[in-house]
Amino acid sequence: MQFVLAKIVYSFLILISLLPFRLLYVLSDVVYFLLYRVIGYRKKVVRANIKIAFPEYTTSQIIAIEKEFYKHFCDMFLEMIKTLSISKEDLLKRYTFSNIKLLKEYEAKGKSIVLMMSHYANWEWSMALNHYLSFQGYGIYRPLQNGHFDKIVRNIRSRFDTELISAYSLAREMRNHDRKGTKGVYLFINDQTPMLRKNQYWQDFFGINVPVFDGAEHIAINLDMTVLFLKVKKVKRGYYSAEFIEITDQACDTSDHFITRKFIQLVENQIKEEPKFYFWTHKRWKHQGKK
């Protein structure tokens, strides 16, 4: 039954992905109305998160950000579906990199790269980067429990030569690549909330102490990798521009948690520039006070 359901869902997504962008965004407007106005999907969570991050904002300012976020959220969801059929030419036109030469300079040094980014603007289309790489591009993801629907997600995210690596086998596979001399660019999207555990690293995020993922830092230090941040801006509806920012070129020489602190700082600064494009539906501060 799950297999049949997954096939039906996948066929439906393919049909949606074939819509031209003009009609796709008409559909997005309809979904926005239903999701925000009718259903009110996670509205309390979104409003509470924005208020936590920007306590100085008035209620009207928070609601304004909230509405714009939901519009973008619906756009981004449908853009992810569009990935199933989008052409290489269209993707490269809509997702550009302002300083790709910087990345090429790091590749020329012959060291693998940890590329860190946040759930901001559009992270799914970052796969466009594969068309510029000399190294192999790898996306780190957490498999879904339902294998049939996990396959759908993998089909979406593995287009354009992206290889996916499960977070559960990541360290082993990256060590294997290092031993074999395989050079890669490893994309980590790790600004969300980890599960609580002992000996966890905590850091202030918008002035509140929260647990953060630091696995990318440990791997980068152990394998002496270059670490970059990918800052994405939404230029207009359906168009994005990304910029590479160096965190460190010598991970093994950094102090404890320098990389993670720098990453969280860059994420926070990015959100402050245009809050409406952050992924506010996630309960980012749910562990505050539990250290």
Side-chain angles (χ1 to χ4, degrees), residues 222-264:
N222 288 335
L223 301 180
D224 190 22
M225 302 170 71
T226 296
V227 185
L228 305 178
F229 177 72
L230 188 64
K231 180 181 179 180
V232 184
K233 288 187 175 182
K234 188 170 185 175
V235 179
K236 60 180 180 179
R237 202 173 200 183
Y239 290 84
Y240 302 87
S241 177
E243 174 190 5
F244 299 98
I245 299 174
E246 180 185 297
I247 293 180
T248 180
D249 192 27
Q250 299 289 337
C252 63
D253 293 334
T254 59
S255 57
D256 287 348
H257 297 114
F258 167 82
I259 292 172
T260 303
R261 287 197 304 271
K262 184 65 174 178
F263 168 68
I264 294 297

Side-chain angles (χ1 to χ4, degrees), residues 188-201:
F188 289 78
I189 308 176
N190 54 350
D191 58 311
Q192 302 297 70
T193 302
M195 295 181 65
L196 288 178
R197 57 178 173 79
K198 292 182 179 180
N199 302 319
Q200 194 164 36
Y201 180 60

Side-chain angles (χ1 to χ4, degrees), residues 135-180:
F135 294 171
Q136 174 62 50
Y138 298 96
I140 316 306
Y141 90 116
R142 293 184 179 274
L144 300 178
Q145 290 184 347
N146 186 306
H148 301 300
F149 287 97
D150 182 66
K151 185 177 180 181
I152 293 176
V153 174
R154 289 180 65 88
N155 286 342
I156 293 174
R157 293 181 171 175
S158 61
R159 287 200 68 202
F160 306 109
D161 300 322
T162 300
E163 288 192 24
L164 298 181
I165 302 178
S166 167
Y168 305 116
S169 61
L170 174 62
R172 181 179 69 254
E173 292 201 37
M174 289 183 69
R175 284 195 296 267
N176 288 338
H177 292 170
D178 185 61
R179 282 194 293 267
K180 294 176 181 177

Side-chain angles (χ1 to χ4, degrees), residues 101-164:
K101 288 183 178 180
L102 181 65
L103 181 69
K104 303 304 291 183
E105 290 174 5
Y106 288 117
E107 281 189 316
K109 296 180 180 181
K111 292 171 58 176
S112 289
I113 298 169
V114 165
L115 183 59
M116 305 177 76
M117 70 182 300
S118 65
H119 289 84
Y120 185 91
N122 186 324
W123 54 92
E124 296 290 346
W125 283 359
S126 60
M127 66 180 69
L129 179 61
N130 281 310
H131 295 292
Y132 303 98
L133 294 178
S134 300
F135 294 171
Q136 174 62 50
Y138 298 96
I140 316 306
Y141 90 116
R142 293 184 179 274
L144 300 178
Q145 290 184 347
N146 186 306
H148 301 300
F149 287 97
D150 182 66
K151 185 177 180 181
I152 293 176
V153 174
R154 289 180 65 88
N155 286 342
I156 293 174
R157 293 181 171 175
S158 61
R159 287 200 68 202
F160 306 109
D161 300 322
T162 300
E163 288 192 24
L164 298 181

